Amino acid sequence: MTKYLRKCTVCGKYTILKEICPYCSNPTRIPHPAKFSLTDNYGVYRRKLKRIEEKSS
Ligand SMILES: [Zn+2]
């Protein structure tokens, strides 16, 4: 259930499944973005690897 919970970035109210806040029409986000930061980490590693490859060539 909590994975559907989203929080408004502006008024801080919680909503379920809505990407736009029903109170103030601003975008909402997932309050605990653990899985999303994982994909960000992979992007960081990929960029680091690319930089190393550029240096060695
Ligand atoms: Zn709001």
Side-chain angles (χ1 to χ4, degrees):
M1 182 123 180
T2 48
K3 69 179 173 179
Y4 300 117
L5 195 65
R6 304 179 69 90
K7 190 180 183 186
C8 177
T9 55
V10 176
C11 73
K13 293 202 176 185
Y14 288 93
T15 183
I16 292 179
L17 278 177
K18 293 194 193 312
E19 289 182 10
I20 300 297
C21 177
Y23 304 99
C24 67
S25 299
N26 282 293
T28 62
R29 65 189 188 98
I30 294 159
H32 309 291
K35 288 194 175 174
F36 287 92
S37 67
L38 232 173
T39 55
D40 279 346
N41 285 342
Y42 283 126
V44 168
Y45 287 132
R46 211 174 331 119
R47 260 168 265 145
K48 269 186 186 170
L49 268 176
K50 200 184 176 192
R51 210 175 301 155
I52 290 166
E53 280 170 11
E54 282 169 358
K55 274 182 186 171
S56 61
S57 62

